[in-house]
PDB file of all heavy atoms in Angstrom:
ATOM      1  N   ALA E 137      49.021  62.620   1.729  1.00 96.00           N
ATOM      2  CA  ALA E 137      50.025  63.687   1.866  1.00 96.00           C
ATOM      3  C   ALA E 137      50.181  63.846   3.455  1.00 96.00           C
ATOM      4  O   ALA E 137      51.429  64.185   3.839  1.00 96.00           O
ATOM      5  CB  ALA E 137      49.494  65.022   1.195  1.00 96.00           C
ATOM      6  N   ALA E 138      49.208  63.627   4.180  1.00 93.00           N
ATOM      7  CA  ALA E 138      49.343  63.721   5.724  1.00 93.00           C
ATOM      8  C   ALA E 138      49.876  62.477   6.247  1.00 93.00           C
ATOM      9  O   ALA E 138      50.715  62.524   7.202  1.00 93.00           O
ATOM     10  CB  ALA E 138      47.940  63.856   6.278  1.00 93.00           C
ATOM     11  N   ASN E 139      49.782  61.254   5.691  1.00 94.00           N
ATOM     12  CA  ASN E 139      50.372  60.008   6.062  1.00 94.00           C
ATOM     13  C   ASN E 139      50.439  59.158   4.952  1.00 94.00           C
ATOM     14  O   ASN E 139      49.425  58.462   4.485  1.00 94.00           O
ATOM     15  CB  ASN E 139      49.501  59.383   7.152  1.00 94.00           C
ATOM     16  CG  ASN E 139      50.024  58.086   7.771  1.00 94.00           C
ATOM     17  OD1 ASN E 139      51.128  57.700   7.291  1.00 94.00           O
ATOM     18  ND2 ASN E 139      49.084  57.348   8.371  1.00 94.00           N
ATOM     19  N   GLY E 140      51.685  59.009   4.296  1.00 93.00           N
ATOM     20  CA  GLY E 140      51.938  58.249   3.219  1.00 93.00           C
ATOM     21  C   GLY E 140      51.713  56.707   3.355  1.00 93.00           C
ATOM     22  O   GLY E 140      51.839  55.979   2.353  1.00 93.00           O
ATOM     23  N   GLN E 141      51.731  56.336   4.649  1.00 93.00           N
ATOM     24  CA  GLN E 141      51.507  54.907   4.922  1.00 93.00           C
ATOM     25  C   GLN E 141      50.091  54.521   5.301  1.00 93.00           C
ATOM     26  O   GLN E 141      49.863  53.349   5.877  1.00 93.00           O
ATOM     27  CB  GLN E 141      52.497  54.528   6.118  1.00 93.00           C
ATOM     28  CG  GLN E 141      53.913  54.565   5.710  1.00 93.00           C
ATOM     29  CD  GLN E 141      54.911  54.129   6.805  1.00 93.00           C
ATOM     30  OE1 GLN E 141      54.615  54.200   7.877  1.00 93.00           O
ATOM     31  NE2 GLN E 141      56.048  53.659   6.322  1.00 93.00           N
ATOM     32  N   ASP E 142      49.206  55.347   5.053  1.00 96.00           N
ATOM     33  CA  ASP E 142      47.772  55.140   5.347  1.00 96.00           C
ATOM     34  C   ASP E 142      47.220  53.973   4.361  1.00 96.00           C
ATOM     35  O   ASP E 142      46.836  54.245   3.252  1.00 96.00           O
ATOM     36  CB  ASP E 142      46.993  56.364   5.241  1.00 96.00           C
ATOM     37  CG  ASP E 142      45.531  56.270   5.728  1.00 96.00           C
ATOM     38  OD1 ASP E 142      45.026  55.242   5.658  1.00 96.00           O
ATOM     39  OD2 ASP E 142      44.955  57.377   6.030  1.00 96.00           O
ATOM     40  N   ILE E 143      47.041  52.812   4.880  1.00 97.00           N
ATOM     41  CA  ILE E 143      46.707  51.727   4.028  1.00 97.00           C
ATOM     42  C   ILE E 143      45.286  51.921   3.582  1.00 97.00           C
ATOM     43  O   ILE E 143      44.860  51.685   2.349  1.00 97.00           O
ATOM     44  CB  ILE E 143      46.651  50.294   4.835  1.00 97.00           C
ATOM     45  CG1 ILE E 143      48.061  50.109   5.323  1.00 97.00           C
ATOM     46  CG2 ILE E 143      46.126  49.228   3.936  1.00 97.00           C
ATOM     47  CD1 ILE E 143      49.100  49.851   4.273  1.00 97.00           C
ATOM     48  N   ARG E 144      44.292  52.385   4.370  1.00 96.00           N
ATOM     49  CA  ARG E 144      43.051  52.731   3.925  1.00 96.00           C
ATOM     50  C   ARG E 144      42.925  53.775   2.865  1.00 96.00           C
ATOM     51  O   ARG E 144      42.115  53.668   1.867  1.00 96.00           O
ATOM     52  CB  ARG E 144      42.151  53.160   5.046  1.00 96.00           C
ATOM     53  CG  ARG E 144      41.987  52.072   6.162  1.00 96.00           C
ATOM     54  CD  ARG E 144      41.092  52.571   7.311  1.00 96.00           C
ATOM     55  NE  ARG E 144      40.786  51.583   8.363  1.00 96.00           N
ATOM     56  CZ  ARG E 144      40.118  51.768   9.417  1.00 96.00           C
ATOM     57  NH1 ARG E 144      39.537  53.005   9.675  1.00 96.00           N
ATOM     58  NH2 ARG E 144      39.923  50.776  10.323  1.00 96.00           N
ATOM     59  N   ALA E 145      43.786  54.698   2.811  1.00 97.00           N
ATOM     60  CA  ALA E 145      43.655  55.764   1.860  1.00 97.00           C
ATOM     61  C   ALA E 145      44.377  55.203   0.521  1.00 97.00           C
ATOM     62  O   ALA E 145      43.820  55.631  -0.537  1.00 97.00           O
ATOM     63  CB  ALA E 145      44.568  57.003   2.338  1.00 97.00           C
ATOM     64  N   LEU E 146      45.477  54.417   0.631  1.00 97.00           N
ATOM     65  CA  LEU E 146      45.999  53.849  -0.539  1.00 97.00           C
ATOM     66  C   LEU E 146      44.815  52.790  -1.264  1.00 97.00           C
ATOM     67  O   LEU E 146      44.768  52.968  -2.521  1.00 97.00           O
ATOM     68  CB  LEU E 146      47.245  52.972  -0.143  1.00 97.00           C
ATOM     69  CG  LEU E 146      48.374  53.742   0.206  1.00 97.00           C
ATOM     70  CD1 LEU E 146      49.418  52.868   0.768  1.00 97.00           C
ATOM     71  CD2 LEU E 146      49.025  54.316  -1.168  1.00 97.00           C
ATOM     72  N   ASN E 147      44.215  52.155  -0.417  1.00 97.00           N
ATOM     73  CA  ASN E 147      43.146  51.268  -1.022  1.00 97.00           C
ATOM     74  C   ASN E 147      41.935  52.095  -1.535  1.00 97.00           C
ATOM     75  O   ASN E 147      41.536  51.900  -2.767  1.00 97.00           O
ATOM     76  CB  ASN E 147      42.592  50.265   0.179  1.00 97.00           C
ATOM     77  CG  ASN E 147      41.622  49.273  -0.317  1.00 97.00           C
ATOM     78  OD1 ASN E 147      41.771  48.665  -1.277  1.00 97.00           O
ATOM     79  ND2 ASN E 147      40.413  49.301   0.296  1.00 97.00           N
ATOM     80  N   GLY E 148      41.587  53.066  -0.864  1.00 97.00           N
ATOM     81  CA  GLY E 148      40.456  53.889  -1.391  1.00 97.00           C
ATOM     82  C   GLY E 148      40.863  54.606  -2.676  1.00 97.00           C
ATOM     83  O   GLY E 148      40.089  54.734  -3.580  1.00 97.00           O
ATOM     84  N   LEU E 149      42.082  55.149  -2.788  1.00 98.00           N
ATOM     85  CA  LEU E 149      42.597  55.724  -3.989  1.00 98.00           C
ATOM     86  C   LEU E 149      42.622  54.742  -5.055  1.00 98.00           C
ATOM     87  O   LEU E 149      42.278  55.088  -6.140  1.00 98.00           O
ATOM     88  CB  LEU E 149      44.097  56.291  -3.676  1.00 98.00           C
ATOM     89  CG  LEU E 149      44.568  57.085  -4.910  1.00 98.00           C
ATOM     90  CD1 LEU E 149      43.741  58.104  -5.400  1.00 98.00           C
ATOM     91  CD2 LEU E 149      46.018  57.594  -4.539  1.00 98.00           C
ATOM     92  N   GLY E 150      42.961  53.503  -4.806  1.00 98.00           N
ATOM     93  CA  GLY E 150      43.038  52.530  -5.886  1.00 98.00           C
ATOM     94  C   GLY E 150      41.611  52.356  -6.371  1.00 98.00           C
ATOM     95  O   GLY E 150      41.372  52.241  -7.642  1.00 98.00           O
ATOM     96  N   VAL E 151      40.718  52.262  -5.510  1.00 97.00           N
ATOM     97  CA  VAL E 151      39.193  51.986  -5.961  1.00 97.00           C
ATOM     98  C   VAL E 151      38.778  53.219  -6.792  1.00 97.00           C
ATOM     99  O   VAL E 151      38.041  53.004  -7.772  1.00 97.00           O
ATOM    100  CB  VAL E 151      38.337  51.826  -4.583  1.00 97.00           C
ATOM    101  CG1 VAL E 151      36.878  51.848  -5.158  1.00 97.00           C
ATOM    102  CG2 VAL E 151      38.657  50.513  -4.011  1.00 97.00           C
ATOM    103  N   ALA E 152      39.019  54.411  -6.305  1.00 97.00           N
ATOM    104  CA  ALA E 152      38.678  55.588  -7.118  1.00 97.00           C
ATOM    105  C   ALA E 152      39.333  55.626  -8.456  1.00 97.00           C
ATOM    106  O   ALA E 152      38.596  55.977  -9.423  1.00 97.00           O
ATOM    107  CB  ALA E 152      38.991  56.856  -6.355  1.00 97.00           C
ATOM    108  N   LEU E 153      40.546  55.330  -8.523  1.00 98.00           N
ATOM    109  CA  LEU E 153      41.186  55.256  -9.877  1.00 98.00           C
ATOM    110  C   LEU E 153      40.654  54.171 -10.682  1.00 98.00           C
ATOM    111  O   LEU E 153      40.464  54.374 -12.001  1.00 98.00           O
ATOM    112  CB  LEU E 153      42.753  55.088  -9.676  1.00 98.00           C
ATOM    113  CG  LEU E 153      43.405  56.252  -9.017  1.00 98.00           C
ATOM    114  CD1 LEU E 153      44.858  55.855  -8.601  1.00 98.00           C
ATOM    115  CD2 LEU E 153      43.555  57.460  -9.955  1.00 98.00           C
ATOM    116  N   ASP E 154      40.309  52.943 -10.218  1.00 97.00           N
ATOM    117  CA  ASP E 154      39.702  51.907 -10.854  1.00 97.00           C
ATOM    118  C   ASP E 154      38.345  52.336 -11.437  1.00 97.00           C
ATOM    119  O   ASP E 154      38.006  52.133 -12.615  1.00 97.00           O
ATOM    120  CB  ASP E 154      39.547  50.646  -9.984  1.00 97.00           C
ATOM    121  CG  ASP E 154      40.716  49.575 -10.254  1.00 97.00           C
ATOM    122  OD1 ASP E 154      41.176  49.569 -11.311  1.00 97.00           O
ATOM    123  OD2 ASP E 154      40.932  48.863  -9.376  1.00 97.00           O
ATOM    124  N   GLN E 155      37.557  52.962 -10.572  1.00 96.00           N
ATOM    125  CA  GLN E 155      36.312  53.359 -11.103  1.00 96.00           C
ATOM    126  C   GLN E 155      36.364  54.432 -12.157  1.00 96.00           C
ATOM    127  O   GLN E 155      35.455  54.578 -13.052  1.00 96.00           O
ATOM    128  CB  GLN E 155      35.476  53.937  -9.895  1.00 96.00           C
ATOM    129  CG  GLN E 155      35.117  52.878  -8.864  1.00 96.00           C
ATOM    130  CD  GLN E 155      34.169  51.738  -9.471  1.00 96.00           C
ATOM    131  OE1 GLN E 155      33.258  51.940 -10.186  1.00 96.00           O
ATOM    132  NE2 GLN E 155      34.518  50.432  -9.102  1.00 96.00           N
ATOM    133  N   ALA E 156      37.434  55.181 -12.257  1.00 96.00           N
ATOM    134  CA  ALA E 156      37.663  56.234 -13.238  1.00 96.00           C
ATOM    135  C   ALA E 156      38.218  55.571 -14.505  1.00 96.00           C
ATOM    136  O   ALA E 156      38.427  56.216 -15.458  1.00 96.00           O
ATOM    137  CB  ALA E 156      38.515  57.257 -12.711  1.00 96.00           C
ATOM    138  N   GLY E 157      38.596  54.318 -14.350  1.00 96.00           N
ATOM    139  CA  GLY E 157      39.226  53.574 -15.599  1.00 96.00           C
ATOM    140  C   GLY E 157      40.700  53.631 -15.708  1.00 96.00           C
ATOM    141  O   GLY E 157      41.251  53.072 -16.557  1.00 96.00           O
ATOM    142  N   ASP E 158      41.355  54.221 -14.630  1.00 97.00           N
ATOM    143  CA  ASP E 158      42.825  54.144 -14.693  1.00 97.00           C
ATOM    144  C   ASP E 158      43.359  52.930 -13.963  1.00 97.00           C
ATOM    145  O   ASP E 158      43.877  53.094 -12.725  1.00 97.00           O
ATOM    146  CB  ASP E 158      43.310  55.446 -14.115  1.00 97.00           C
ATOM    147  CG  ASP E 158      44.840  55.789 -14.364  1.00 97.00           C
ATOM    148  OD1 ASP E 158      45.505  54.801 -14.813  1.00 97.00           O
ATOM    149  OD2 ASP E 158      45.275  56.822 -14.158  1.00 97.00           O
ATOM    150  N   HIS E 159      43.274  51.794 -14.442  1.00 97.00           N
ATOM    151  CA  HIS E 159      43.692  50.610 -13.751  1.00 97.00           C
ATOM    152  C   HIS E 159      45.041  50.482 -13.388  1.00 97.00           C
ATOM    153  O   HIS E 159      45.394  50.019 -12.333  1.00 97.00           O
ATOM    154  CB  HIS E 159      43.171  49.411 -14.495  1.00 97.00           C
ATOM    155  CG  HIS E 159      41.616  49.285 -14.834  1.00 97.00           C
ATOM    156  ND1 HIS E 159      40.664  49.570 -13.968  1.00 97.00           N
ATOM    157  CD2 HIS E 159      41.029  49.308 -16.162  1.00 97.00           C
ATOM    158  CE1 HIS E 159      39.519  49.582 -14.537  1.00 97.00           C
ATOM    159  NE2 HIS E 159      39.672  49.376 -15.857  1.00 97.00           N
ATOM    160  N   LYS E 160      45.919  50.962 -14.302  1.00 97.00           N
ATOM    161  CA  LYS E 160      47.361  50.876 -13.944  1.00 97.00           C
ATOM    162  C   LYS E 160      47.703  51.555 -12.802  1.00 97.00           C
ATOM    163  O   LYS E 160      48.483  51.111 -11.886  1.00 97.00           O
ATOM    164  CB  LYS E 160      48.060  51.287 -15.260  1.00 97.00           C
ATOM    165  CG  LYS E 160      49.676  51.154 -15.076  1.00 97.00           C
ATOM    166  CD  LYS E 160      50.460  51.639 -16.249  1.00 97.00           C
ATOM    167  CE  LYS E 160      51.885  51.530 -16.133  1.00 97.00           C
ATOM    168  NZ  LYS E 160      52.619  52.023 -17.352  1.00 97.00           N
ATOM    169  N   ALA E 161      47.210  52.857 -12.654  1.00 98.00           N
ATOM    170  CA  ALA E 161      47.583  53.657 -11.617  1.00 98.00           C
ATOM    171  C   ALA E 161      46.832  53.009 -10.309  1.00 98.00           C
ATOM    172  O   ALA E 161      47.427  53.158  -9.205  1.00 98.00           O
ATOM    173  CB  ALA E 161      47.003  55.057 -11.676  1.00 98.00           C
ATOM    174  N   ALA E 162      45.697  52.448 -10.373  1.00 98.00           N
ATOM    175  CA  ALA E 162      44.931  51.839  -9.248  1.00 98.00           C
ATOM    176  C   ALA E 162      45.814  50.737  -8.773  1.00 98.00           C
ATOM    177  O   ALA E 162      46.089  50.600  -7.531  1.00 98.00           O
ATOM    178  CB  ALA E 162      43.659  51.352  -9.646  1.00 98.00           C
ATOM    179  N   GLN E 163      46.327  49.908  -9.631  1.00 98.00           N
ATOM    180  CA  GLN E 163      47.231  48.780  -9.255  1.00 98.00           C
ATOM    181  C   GLN E 163      48.471  49.187  -8.484  1.00 98.00           C
ATOM    182  O   GLN E 163      48.932  48.546  -7.529  1.00 98.00           O
ATOM    183  CB  GLN E 163      47.499  47.885 -10.473  1.00 98.00           C
ATOM    184  CG  GLN E 163      46.258  47.131 -10.986  1.00 98.00           C
ATOM    185  CD  GLN E 163      46.337  46.759 -12.467  1.00 98.00           C
ATOM    186  OE1 GLN E 163      47.550  46.583 -12.878  1.00 98.00           O
ATOM    187  NE2 GLN E 163      45.225  46.691 -13.166  1.00 98.00           N
ATOM    188  N   GLU E 164      48.992  50.302  -8.857  1.00 98.00           N
ATOM    189  CA  GLU E 164      50.266  50.883  -8.215  1.00 98.00           C
ATOM    190  C   GLU E 164      49.930  51.143  -6.743  1.00 98.00           C
ATOM    191  O   GLU E 164      50.692  50.796  -5.787  1.00 98.00           O
ATOM    192  CB  GLU E 164      50.763  52.151  -8.896  1.00 98.00           C
ATOM    193  CG  GLU E 164      51.266  51.845 -10.313  1.00 98.00           C
ATOM    194  CD  GLU E 164      51.658  53.159 -10.962  1.00 98.00           C
ATOM    195  OE1 GLU E 164      51.422  54.148 -10.405  1.00 98.00           O
ATOM    196  OE2 GLU E 164      52.176  53.030 -12.063  1.00 98.00           O
ATOM    197  N   GLN E 165      48.617  51.722  -6.464  1.00 98.00           N
ATOM    198  CA  GLN E 165      48.313  51.957  -5.063  1.00 98.00           C
ATOM    199  C   GLN E 165      48.102  50.667  -4.310  1.00 98.00           C
ATOM    200  O   GLN E 165      48.560  50.522  -3.135  1.00 98.00           O
ATOM    201  CB  GLN E 165      47.007  52.839  -5.151  1.00 98.00           C
ATOM    202  CG  GLN E 165      46.961  54.080  -5.895  1.00 98.00           C
ATOM    203  CD  GLN E 165      48.235  54.918  -5.685  1.00 98.00           C
ATOM    204  OE1 GLN E 165      48.480  55.158  -4.552  1.00 98.00           O
ATOM    205  NE2 GLN E 165      48.884  55.410  -6.647  1.00 98.00           N
ATOM    206  N   TYR E 166      47.622  49.765  -4.894  1.00 98.00           N
ATOM    207  CA  TYR E 166      47.254  48.554  -4.224  1.00 98.00           C
ATOM    208  C   TYR E 166      48.558  47.752  -3.786  1.00 98.00           C
ATOM    209  O   TYR E 166      48.744  47.261  -2.674  1.00 98.00           O
ATOM    210  CB  TYR E 166      46.412  47.523  -5.069  1.00 98.00           C
ATOM    211  CG  TYR E 166      45.019  48.037  -5.394  1.00 98.00           C
ATOM    212  CD1 TYR E 166      44.571  47.839  -6.742  1.00 98.00           C
ATOM    213  CD2 TYR E 166      44.256  48.727  -4.366  1.00 98.00           C
ATOM    214  CE1 TYR E 166      43.313  48.384  -6.937  1.00 98.00           C
ATOM    215  CE2 TYR E 166      42.899  49.207  -4.711  1.00 98.00           C
ATOM    216  CZ  TYR E 166      42.468  48.965  -5.973  1.00 98.00           C
ATOM    217  OH  TYR E 166      41.304  49.363  -6.415  1.00 98.00           O
ATOM    218  N   ARG E 167      49.506  47.828  -4.792  1.00 98.00           N
ATOM    219  CA  ARG E 167      50.824  47.087  -4.572  1.00 98.00           C
ATOM    220  C   ARG E 167      51.557  47.816  -3.418  1.00 98.00           C
ATOM    221  O   ARG E 167      52.323  47.180  -2.643  1.00 98.00           O
ATOM    222  CB  ARG E 167      51.612  47.131  -5.890  1.00 98.00           C
ATOM    223  CG  ARG E 167      50.959  46.202  -6.832  1.00 98.00           C
ATOM    224  CD  ARG E 167      51.807  46.174  -8.099  1.00 98.00           C
ATOM    225  NE  ARG E 167      51.168  45.517  -9.289  1.00 98.00           N
ATOM    226  CZ  ARG E 167      50.827  44.144  -9.430  1.00 98.00           C
ATOM    227  NH1 ARG E 167      51.469  43.323  -8.541  1.00 98.00           N
ATOM    228  NH2 ARG E 167      50.287  43.701 -10.434  1.00 98.00           N
ATOM    229  N   VAL E 168      51.438  49.232  -3.403  1.00 97.00           N
ATOM    230  CA  VAL E 168      52.165  49.885  -2.309  1.00 97.00           C
ATOM    231  C   VAL E 168      51.573  49.557  -0.888  1.00 97.00           C
ATOM    232  O   VAL E 168      52.367  49.354  -0.049  1.00 97.00           O
ATOM    233  CB  VAL E 168      52.059  51.413  -2.516  1.00 97.00           C
ATOM    234  CG1 VAL E 168      52.552  52.117  -1.381  1.00 97.00           C
ATOM    235  CG2 VAL E 168      52.853  51.873  -3.765  1.00 97.00           C
ATOM    236  N   ALA E 169      50.284  49.408  -0.921  1.00 97.00           N
ATOM    237  CA  ALA E 169      49.589  48.968   0.301  1.00 97.00           C
ATOM    238  C   ALA E 169      50.019  47.637   0.730  1.00 97.00           C
ATOM    239  O   ALA E 169      50.205  47.281   1.938  1.00 97.00           O
ATOM    240  CB  ALA E 169      48.074  49.176   0.163  1.00 97.00           C
ATOM    241  N   LEU E 170      50.057  46.709  -0.344  1.00 97.00           N
ATOM    242  CA  LEU E 170      50.363  45.426   0.070  1.00 97.00           C
ATOM    243  C   LEU E 170      51.835  45.085   0.407  1.00 97.00           C
ATOM    244  O   LEU E 170      52.122  44.211   1.162  1.00 97.00           O
ATOM    245  CB  LEU E 170      50.114  44.429  -1.180  1.00 97.00           C
ATOM    246  CG  LEU E 170      48.627  44.167  -1.371  1.00 97.00           C
ATOM    247  CD1 LEU E 170      48.374  43.537  -2.790  1.00 97.00           C
ATOM    248  CD2 LEU E 170      47.896  43.367  -0.322  1.00 97.00           C
ATOM    249  N   ALA E 171      52.757  46.002  -0.030  1.00 96.00           N
ATOM    250  CA  ALA E 171      53.984  46.031   0.405  1.00 96.00           C
ATOM    251  C   ALA E 171      54.122  46.332   1.979  1.00 96.00           C
ATOM    252  O   ALA E 171      55.077  45.731   2.700  1.00 96.00           O
ATOM    253  CB  ALA E 171      54.829  46.949  -0.327  1.00 96.00           C
ATOM    254  N   GLN E 172      53.212  47.048   2.414  1.00 95.00           N
ATOM    255  CA  GLN E 172      53.165  47.411   3.983  1.00 95.00           C
ATOM    256  C   GLN E 172      52.362  46.366   4.628  1.00 95.00           C
ATOM    257  O   GLN E 172      52.600  46.192   5.748  1.00 95.00           O
ATOM    258  CB  GLN E 172      52.671  48.790   4.034  1.00 95.00           C
ATOM    259  CG  GLN E 172      53.456  49.956   3.327  1.00 95.00           C
ATOM    260  CD  GLN E 172      52.747  51.280   3.693  1.00 95.00           C
ATOM    261  OE1 GLN E 172      52.291  51.591   4.714  1.00 95.00           O
ATOM    262  NE2 GLN E 172      52.609  52.053   2.587  1.00 95.00           N
ATOM    263  N   SER E 173      51.357  45.868   4.023  1.00 95.00           N
ATOM    264  CA  SER E 173      50.365  44.958   4.732  1.00 95.00           C
ATOM    265  C   SER E 173      50.005  43.813   3.729  1.00 95.00           C
ATOM    266  O   SER E 173      48.924  43.796   3.201  1.00 95.00           O
ATOM    267  CB  SER E 173      49.147  45.787   5.138  1.00 95.00           C
ATOM    268  OG  SER E 173      48.309  44.920   5.876  1.00 95.00           O
ATOM    269  N   PRO E 174      51.028  42.837   3.570  1.00 94.00           N
ATOM    270  CA  PRO E 174      50.740  41.703   2.690  1.00 94.00           C
ATOM    271  C   PRO E 174      49.455  40.918   2.906  1.00 94.00           C
ATOM    272  O   PRO E 174      48.936  40.368   1.942  1.00 94.00           O
ATOM    273  CB  PRO E 174      51.926  40.877   2.787  1.00 94.00           C
ATOM    274  CG  PRO E 174      52.983  41.774   3.444  1.00 94.00           C
ATOM    275  CD  PRO E 174      52.163  42.633   4.246  1.00 94.00           C
TER     276      PRO E 174
END
Side-chain angles (χ1 to χ4, degrees):
N139 178 11
Q141 296 184 332
D142 188 334
I143 301 297
R144 293 181 179 180
L146 287 165
N147 183 50
L149 178 57
V151 172
L153 292 169
D154 261 333
Q155 295 298 317
D158 192 349
H159 305 306
K160 182 178 180 180
Q163 291 157 26
E164 291 174 359
Q165 306 307 315
Y166 300 137
R167 293 183 193 280
V168 171
L170 288 170
Q172 299 179 46
S173 182

